[in-house]
Amino acid sequence: MAYEEIVVKKPLPLIALPCLSVAAFLLFWEWIVVSGTVPSVLLAPPSQVFTVFMDKLGNPNPDGAILAVHAWTSLQEAFIGYSLSLLVGIPLGLAMGWFRIVEGLIRPIFELIRPIPPIAWIPLTVFWFGIGLTGKVFIIWIAGIVPCVINSYVGVRMTQPTLIQMARTYGATDWQIFHQLCIPSALPMVFGALQIALAYCWTNLVGAELLASDTGLGYLITMGGRLGRPDIVVLGMVCVGISGAILGFIIDCVERRLLAGIRR
Amino acid sequence: MGGSSIANETVGVSSGREGITFYQIITNTYLLYTVSLISFFLVWDRVAAWQVFGDSLARPHIVALKLYDLTQIKFAGTNLGGHIWASTQRVLIGFSLASFFAVPLGLFMALNRYANAIVKPIFDLFKPMPPIAWVSISILWFGVGEFSKIFIISIGTFVPCLLNSYNGIRLIEPELYDVIKVLGGSRKDEVVQVSFPASFPAIFAGLQISLSVAWTCLLAAELMNARDGMGFLIKRGMDTHQPSLVLGGMILIALMAWLSSLLISLMERKLCPWKRSIDNL
Amino acid sequence: MNTPSSEPQLKIYCEDINKTFIQKGHMEVPVIRNISLEVEENEFLVVLGPGQCGKSTLLRIIAGLETPDTGYVALDGFPVTGPGPDRGLVFQGYMLFAWNTVMGNVEMGLKLRGVPKQERRAVAHHYIRLVGLEGFENHYPHQLSGGMKQRVGIARAYANSPKVMLLDEPFGQLDAQTRMFMQHETSRIWEHEKRTVIFVTNNIDEALFLADRIVLMEGKLPGRIKKEYIVNLPRPRDHENPDLLELRALITSETELVL
């Protein structure tokens, strides 16, 4: 149809205000430290954080590793733990949604373990696996598996009953219904779990590294705190935030790709 | 999850096969639950007894005994109840403080786009930062006392509270506002009669999420530095290598997290009697 | 004609209304083109047309929820500038307040105007009885069936004692049986408490059963008025009435297959 194209303008304040507000925030942050309102032993201004960032790119002092090593360690742990939780959690949740035996056997244990905050496992993982990679992967796995199981379970449970009955009238077996009907219809819910699980994993990774680690972004934050270096602490926090946002963005793209075929 | 919803029942019914009695017996939910729980504790007990993890896993009855002992004796200045109360108090204060400010702010941001344009970008800067990352800086700022723990809990719970109340209003069917307009109501009536009540379930969902975040943050803060509380018990167990103390602490904190979330659910049921039961799938 | 106040019977007057929507931020979609309409006091006017012909938009313009690009709507000779309690609107999707009981929903309009509790309860109760929902005052909307929900919607609009009732495909989501029943009910309620009604529907039988006058819309966008028919038959009507069937054939011949 030959409709005319026109451009709708947002009111100017709505475009300008967000930029102004971020700029004002950064300036205020810089100002309260530089002017001495907040002592510089407590908070580092953005400019100093940037300087430290440039410095830490190549300088392993004072915490023992350059920034890239910390980031790489964290990403590696996050990636392994996250993948494992998807690999185990999604099939488990799907099976719990369809097979009564699986649900009956797994659900009570799942409900027992679910309310335990994942970082409460830190002491046990330190006892069992030491402070290396395995322990942290275990904690991230525990953290990520919960939303995977719940979403996959609910996804299968929300399959339209009429579709299941339709499949039965065509003579489909239980197994055929499960993997050709229930799993595809649960997919949107399952993909919904990807973001949630990532956020859980990332939070708990930082917690695990704060408490039991010798490299990683969380460790960088702890060391900054121990050494009384607010610039390093803030740098660590900023890095954690940015990497988390980037990971979230990647998962978002993947999710959109995968979901494109099965729009609800 | 949990509860019986319409969708659940129907899928359950159509996935069940009639006929074989044996099959019905072994798929009896209560039987399966019992088998599951017994085998869980049995495996735990055996793994601990056979020392698969050396002496780093305590048998279930040892953990129970340890918890019982703690109710009898003073451990680090107070008995078990004191430790539980110390933690609960922190969560209560931090959680109420954050929700007290975050919920109104979220509602306000959703209702006023200029407020939104100012606050949202700053909020988006902080959003991807896990609350636990604040632990170090809060100790730097406020020392190791009560306040730094409450601060972390507040930071952690602020985000989900705000996001949910914000989205709660954003997702309201716009035609509901038309109803008020047509009935002769003002903008104020729209907010009071539609925005607030309609956002209630979303606010409660936010409170639920915040609460679980609050317990995680509390634990992180107490593991880093505390003289009492359940996190302290776990930390002490870690430092002195007492798996029974660690496991006891884990069980307690899980129990408290579960109880508090139950409390919020009950409150919601009381305050939103109009919410459909299908929602709690 | 251009001075509506000169016609004492004239209730609603629409003068040459045009409306264009902007879709996806940059597409202009003309929805209503050159519609002029007159509705007399206590007339039951049905606007008949298929889905997507701009009839709901016309109703929303009369309700004051949308502003026309050109033209104006006048009520009792005064131009409409926005929504107001003198026009009651019943929505296709019911749009009940899930957090209020049936009573709370019906009395909402009175509450907004500050009518004291005792008084508004009495009025709301009267209309709840009129739509046949006595005994359900304390039920929440999710406990009601579709037909009952729309009765609440109708009672809510009526309780505000508007001069004009606007109904936007009110029975579109009901099954055929309930729909037929609700048509009878609407006819009964209207005869009981006469109002000026503009009723939008895509169902030809519904139009014939209810209308004093039918305005037939063009079958595609932009919406235009195609024809008008006077239905001068006694109420309650019978769907098998030969005069009615004759008119039905006439209207059907004027509409494209999309209907």
Side-chain angles (χ1 to χ4, degrees):
Chain A
M1 285 182 273
Y3 299 132
E4 305 135 60
E5 292 232 343
I6 59 151
V7 181
V8 188
K9 276 188 192 153
K10 257 188 176 181
L12 189 66
L14 288 185
I15 303 169
L17 275 176
C19 308
L20 279 176
S21 110
V22 170
F25 170 75
L26 289 175
L27 279 175
F28 176 72
W29 176 9
E30 181 85 31
W31 175 77
I32 53 167
V33 187
V34 173
S35 71
T37 316
V38 171
S40 59
V41 288
L42 293 186
L43 188 64
S47 56
Q48 196 190 336
V49 173
F50 186 72
T51 321
V52 174
F53 169 72
M54 298 309 284
D55 179 48
K56 281 298 294 173
L57 284 177
N59 180 3
N61 291 322
D63 46 83
I66 60 168
L67 196 57
V69 172
H70 287 305
W72 173 242
T73 314
S74 294
L75 285 177
Q76 203 182 1
E77 291 161 355
F79 181 73
I80 301 175
Y82 181 61
S83 320
L84 279 178
S85 63
L86 296 188
L87 276 178
V88 178
I90 292 173
L92 190 65
L94 292 173
M96 277 170 69
W98 185 246
F99 299 107
R100 284 181 170 195
I101 299 189
V102 181
E103 192 201 343
L105 289 179
I106 304 291
R107 180 124 178 219
I109 300 173
F110 182 73
E111 297 287 344
L112 276 183
I113 291 179
R114 184 155 79 117
I116 303 176
I119 57 169
W121 290 90
I122 289 174
L124 288 184
T125 61
V126 172
F127 291 166
W128 297 347
F129 312 114
I131 58 166
L133 182 84
T134 326
K136 269 160 282 172
V137 167
F138 178 79
I139 287 167
I140 298 164
W141 178 73
I142 289 261
I145 203 168
V146 172
C148 291
V149 169
I150 293 178
N151 275 34
S152 319
Y153 172 87
V154 173
V156 169
R157 278 304 168 103
M158 292 208 312
T159 311
Q160 274 215 5
T162 31
L163 284 179
I164 297 175
Q165 280 148 14
M166 186 272 293
R168 283 212 191 289
T169 62
Y170 282 107
T173 62
D174 261 6
W175 175 250
Q176 281 173 325
I177 295 176
F178 175 56
H179 80 103
Q180 296 195 345
L181 180 63
C182 291
I183 293 182
S185 79
L187 279 183
M189 278 297 279
V190 174
F191 289 136
L194 297 183
Q195 281 289 353
I196 308 172
L198 181 74
Y200 279 32
C201 285
W202 196 242
T203 300
N204 286 290
L205 167 78
V206 174
E209 285 183 348
L210 279 174
L211 293 156
S213 188
D214 47 13
T215 42
L217 293 172
Y219 176 75
L220 180 67
I221 298 175
T222 321
M223 280 316 285
R226 289 220 187 107
L227 297 166
R229 289 278 302 271
D231 48 348
I232 292 184
V233 175
V234 175
L235 174 68
M237 289 168 68
V238 170
C239 288
V240 165
I242 292 176
S243 348
I246 292 174
L247 287 180
F249 179 72
I250 294 173
I251 296 297
D252 197 45
C253 292
V254 172
E255 198 182 318
R256 220 166 279 174
R257 259 285 168 72
L258 292 173
L259 264 179
I262 44 168
R263 271 272 158 260
R264 273 169 286 181
Chain B
M1 259 164 105
S4 63
S5 73
I6 295 164
N8 261 347
E9 273 167 23
T10 344
V11 175
V13 167
S14 48
S15 71
R17 279 278 175 87
E18 44 185 306
I20 326 161
T21 346
F22 176 69
Y23 184 83
Q24 279 181 347
I25 291 172
I26 65 158
T27 54
N28 181 292
T29 317
Y30 296 105
L31 179 80
L32 286 173
Y33 283 1
T34 320
V35 170
S36 159
L37 286 177
I38 290 175
S39 40
F40 173 74
F41 283 104
L42 208 67
V43 168
W44 174 5
D45 188 56
R46 287 300 93 198
V47 168
W50 293 333
Q51 306 221 323
V52 176
F53 292 107
D55 60 350
S56 300
L57 185 66
R59 296 174 61 174
H61 68 274
I62 307 277
V63 176
L65 275 178
K66 183 82 197 173
L67 284 177
Y68 176 74
D69 282 350
L70 285 177
T71 59
Q72 303 300 311
I73 55 157
K74 276 191 192 289
F75 184 72
T78 175
N79 64 4
L80 194 63
H83 286 296
I84 294 177
W85 175 239
S87 295
T88 313
Q89 203 183 9
R90 288 168 192 148
V91 167
L92 273 180
I93 298 176
F95 176 71
S96 340
L97 214 63
S99 43
F100 183 78
F101 289 106
V103 171
L105 183 62
L107 297 178
F108 186 62
M109 277 165 66
L111 291 170
N112 184 316
R113 53 187 186 155
Y114 291 100
N116 187 34
I118 294 172
V119 182
K120 191 87 193 306
I122 296 178
F123 181 71
D124 283 338
L125 283 182
F126 285 99
K127 201 173 60 178
M129 214 179 287
I132 297 180
W134 288 84
V135 170
S136 286
I137 204 142
S138 102
I139 291 175
L140 210 58
W141 287 353
F142 307 114
V144 293
E146 277 317 89
F147 194 76
S148 72
K149 295 177 188 73
I150 291 169
F151 176 76
I152 294 164
I153 295 170
S154 306
I155 289 265
T157 46
F158 200 86
V159 176
C161 271
L162 188 141
L163 268 186
N164 271 273
S165 25
Y166 178 79
N167 285 332
I169 287 197
R170 278 296 163 110
L171 297 178
I172 294 174
E173 180 85 50
E175 269 202 302
L176 280 172
Y177 294 118
D178 291 348
V179 178
I180 295 286
K181 278 192 202 123
V182 169
L183 290 175
S186 60
R187 172 78 181 138
K188 187 186 135 246
D189 293 323
E190 286 174 33
V191 172
V192 175
Q193 302 294 345
V194 175
S195 306
F196 287 161
S199 62
F200 245 67
I203 291 175
F204 269 103
L207 292 182
Q208 283 284 10
I209 301 171
S210 313
L211 202 61
S212 89
V213 177
W215 286 106
T216 302
C217 290
L218 168 90
L219 192 60
E222 287 186 345
L223 286 177
M224 285 294 275
N225 213 310
R227 278 186 291 272
D228 52 3
M230 292 180 277
F232 164 78
L233 293 181
I234 296 177
K235 178 75 168 138
R236 180 54 70 86
M238 181 180 176
D239 292 343
T240 58
H241 201 91
Q242 294 182 65
S244 58
L245 193 55
V246 172
L247 281 161
M250 287 167 68
I251 291 170
L252 283 181
I253 206 159
L255 196 71
M256 290 311 292
W258 179 77
L259 276 177
S260 54
S261 121
L262 193 71
L263 201 71
I264 297 269
S265 307
L266 286 178
M267 235 165 80
E268 180 179 12
R269 204 162 301 170
K270 194 92 190 159
L271 289 172
C272 307
W274 47 273
K275 218 186 137 201
R276 289 155 183 265
S277 54
I278 195 164
D279 286 352
N280 59 20
L281 193 112
Chain C
M1 266 312 206
N2 280 341
T3 46
S5 49
S6 68
E7 289 267 357
Q9 292 279 55
L10 203 61
K11 200 72 185 169
I12 292 253
Y13 179 72
C14 300
E15 162 82 26
D16 196 26
I17 292 178
N18 279 283
K19 179 77 186 172
T20 301
F21 276 149
I22 295 156
Q23 238 174 33
K24 289 178 191 153
H26 54 83
M27 298 279 259
E28 283 197 354
V29 183
V31 187
I32 287 179
R33 193 54 59 83
N34 304 94
I35 285 193
S36 295
L37 200 65
E38 289 166 23
V39 191
E40 284 173 9
E41 178 136 36
N42 290 346
E43 185 183 13
F44 201 119
L45 178 83
V46 173
V47 178
L48 177 64
Q52 296 288 310
C53 73
K55 56 194 190 309
S56 290
T57 309
L58 176 64
L59 207 66
R60 286 173 64 84
I61 288 174
I62 296 171
L65 292 170
E66 309 274 356
T67 1
D69 297 338
T70 65
Y72 66 92
V73 178
L75 172 67
D76 284 335
F78 294 100
V80 162
T81 51
D86 46 4
R87 284 145 292 147
L89 181 56
V90 177
F91 293 78
Q92 181 177 9
Y94 316 135
M95 291 300 139
L96 301 182
F97 302 118
W99 46 90
N100 277 338
T101 56
V102 169
M103 176 56 86
N105 270 284
V106 174
E107 70 174 5
M108 181 59 78
L110 300 162
K111 192 171 159 188
L112 294 180
R113 283 189 287 147
V115 177
K117 191 165 181 169
Q118 207 82 39
E119 203 176 313
R120 67 174 192 248
R121 280 280 144 103
V123 175
H125 200 82
H126 168 75
Y127 287 101
I128 290 173
R129 202 179 315 130
L130 183 67
V131 298
L133 279 181
E134 207 168 9
F136 290 94
E137 286 89 344
N138 294 320
H139 282 57
Y140 285 99
H142 77 265
Q143 299 168 300
L144 305 177
S145 70
M148 288 159 92
K149 279 183 197 163
Q150 198 54 292
R151 284 158 188 260
V152 178
I154 291 171
R156 179 172 66 185
Y158 249 108
N160 216 15
S161 45
K163 295 173 184 166
V164 181
M165 285 283 283
L166 309 167
L167 294 95
D168 184 8
E169 296 191 42
F171 311 137
Q173 293 188 6
L174 303 179
D175 60 89
Q177 205 104 57
T178 316
R179 189 169 187 157
M180 200 100 96
F181 181 65
M182 287 302 286
Q183 288 162 13
H184 280 270
E185 286 290 283
T186 310
S187 190
R188 177 182 66 80
I189 295 167
W190 181 71
E191 296 225 52
H192 215 267
E193 294 207 16
K194 285 252 162 124
R195 293 284 150 81
T196 310
V197 176
I198 303 181
F199 187 109
V200 164
T201 183
N202 56 15
N203 185 308
I204 193 166
D205 295 307
E206 192 162 276
L208 288 165
F209 186 81
L210 292 170
D212 289 331
R213 182 157 60 103
I214 296 175
V215 170
L216 181 66
M217 302 267 291
E218 199 92 52
K220 56 182 190 302
L221 289 180
R224 289 189 179 91
I225 292 177
K226 196 172 187 184
K227 279 251 163 74
E228 287 195 19
Y229 304 88
I230 309 283
V231 190
N232 212 347
L233 295 168
R235 293 164 194 271
R237 289 173 189 160
D238 179 4
H239 284 288
E240 307 297 318
N241 183 321
D243 292 340
L244 202 121
L245 287 177
E246 194 183 320
L247 184 57
R248 187 182 199 280
L250 192 66
I251 296 177
T252 315
S253 68
E254 278 295 335
T255 50
E256 296 91 56
L257 267 178
V258 278
L259 218 164

